[in-house]
Amino acid sequence: MIRRIGFSGRMMAPGLLLLAALSFIPLFTVIAMSFSRLKLLGGVAFEWAGLEFWGRFFTDVDMGVQWLRTIVFFVLTVGMEMLLGLVFALCLWKLIKARNVLLSLFLLPMFVAPVIVGLLGRFLTDSTFGLYAWLGRLVGYEDDILGGGTSAFLAVAAMDIWQWTPLITLITLAGLTSVPASVREAAALDGATGWSNLRHIILPSISNVLLVALLIRSMDAIRYFDIIAVTTNGGPADATKVVPIRLYETAFRFFDLGYAAVIGLVMLAVSIVIARTFVRLLDKKGLTR
């Protein structure tokens, strides 16, 4: 058996065993927590609860609303990031001079910590001295941006879009620069211009790149937490309470760790389903080989 593993396998074995321990021990612990009541006083103690927390999860009306809100937030942010990222990438692709300078400036939001983005957004939308609040008053919007349900939801979504659209732009621009010039020249000779060129030549050529960008953002957007926690903390009146905020609140505010474990495991399952869906699509295109 040892001979079959080979020298490289034996050299990698310690690292793989450590990685497995760091991955599977917490996973099995969380699974055990989802079937137990945890007592923290006098030491951690697991008390068997059966399917109590799982039954509670599937009958929790508020949880259903929060999952729906998470899906809406996911579709809104990822959809707008993909659309704007494609538009900005096409604009930068057409530039010849100052492309590198503009791209460097455009990528700055991506390197800012999400907590800082949340703090910046909170100050900009402050009803007393915020720039966006002042601009809103100029057009007749007098309400507090983060004080209204719909406006707060759109504000935190806009902060995420502002930060991560540059990443989609960068990935898409890399795909655009790899489109063969001969293909574009042949399309121009055939009379393809404007929308027809974009639809039939450019988009099919970069579809694989767009799919990878969509995968990267989807895996991150489903766990969106930082900016909402800093700006609204799920409010007002739970208008921005997505599932990760509910998970944090359940675990570290109410110390309902068994139910929090169930929420976390369902989030993990959803993330795996999303990842597997994209991997299958990439495999059909031959990009996983």
Side-chain angles (χ1 to χ4, degrees):
M1 182 65 182
I2 296 178
R3 291 181 179 178
R4 291 181 181 179
I5 294 176
F7 176 77
S8 59
R10 292 195 297 272
M11 293 297 292
M12 294 172 60
L16 292 175
L17 290 174
L18 177 61
L19 181 61
L22 294 175
S23 301
F24 289 114
I25 291 177
L27 175 61
F28 293 144
T29 302
V30 172
I31 293 174
M33 289 170 56
S34 68
F35 296 100
S36 309
R37 297 187 190 90
L38 265 71
K39 296 182 179 180
L40 302 178
L41 296 178
V44 179
F46 287 70
E47 180 181 307
W48 178 254
L51 297 175
E52 174 185 342
F53 296 118
W54 288 97
R56 176 180 163 190
F57 177 85
F58 289 107
T59 56
D60 190 341
V61 177
D62 291 336
M63 180 58 65
V65 174
Q66 286 147 14
W67 269 108
L68 179 61
R69 187 179 297 117
T70 302
I71 293 172
V72 173
F73 185 87
F74 175 88
V75 173
L76 176 62
T77 55
V78 175
M80 288 300 298
E81 287 163 8
M82 293 298 298
L83 177 60
L84 294 176
L86 176 61
V87 171
F88 291 140
L90 288 171
C91 294
L92 290 171
W93 185 46
K94 294 296 183 180
L95 287 178
I96 298 177
K97 297 181 179 180
R99 177 194 293 178
N100 293 335
V101 175
L102 289 176
L103 182 60
S104 300
L105 295 174
F106 191 78
L107 293 178
L108 288 178
M110 191 174 66
F111 299 105
V112 180
V115 172
I116 303 301
V117 174
L119 291 173
L120 178 62
R122 191 171 70 182
F123 285 124
L124 289 174
T125 56
D126 188 273
S127 59
T128 303
F129 52 80
L131 174 62
Y132 295 150
W134 176 73
L135 293 174
R137 286 192 292 270
L138 290 180
V139 297
Y141 186 81
E142 300 291 340
D143 297 335
D144 184 5
I145 295 177
L146 295 181
T150 303
S151 59
F153 186 85
L154 294 176
V156 294
M159 295 175 200
D160 182 72
I161 293 169
W162 176 80
Q163 182 175 24
W164 294 113
T165 295
L167 175 63
I168 305 300
T169 301
L170 180 63
I171 297 174
T172 306
L173 184 61
L176 289 171
T177 54
S178 65
V179 177
S182 58
V183 175
R184 290 185 280 119
E185 291 171 359
L189 291 175
D190 290 337
T193 57
W195 170 249
S196 60
N197 186 36
L198 175 65
R199 180 181 177 183
H200 299 290
I201 304 299
I202 295 177
L203 288 181
S205 300
I206 64 171
S207 61
N208 297 336
V209 176
L210 293 176
L211 192 59
V212 172
L214 183 59
L215 170 61
I216 294 173
R217 278 306 300 141
S218 297
M219 295 303 297
D220 192 49
I222 199 68
R223 299 178 289 106
Y224 188 72
F225 173 81
D226 313 66
I227 292 178
I228 295 179
V230 172
T231 53
T232 63
N233 199 28
D238 292 347
T240 59
K241 183 179 287 187
V242 292
V243 175
I245 296 293
R246 173 67 184 276
L247 171 59
Y248 175 84
E249 182 182 79
T250 303
F252 301 110
R253 181 175 297 178
F254 302 116
F255 294 99
D256 192 356
L257 299 179
Y259 192 45
V262 173
I263 299 173
L265 289 172
V266 174
M267 284 186 61
L268 176 62
V270 172
S271 300
I272 292 174
V273 169
I274 293 174
R276 289 299 303 166
T277 301
F278 281 107
V279 168
R280 287 195 188 95
L281 292 175
L282 292 172
D283 186 51
K284 289 181 180 179
K285 294 178 177 292
L287 298 178
T288 57
R289 300 185 180 90

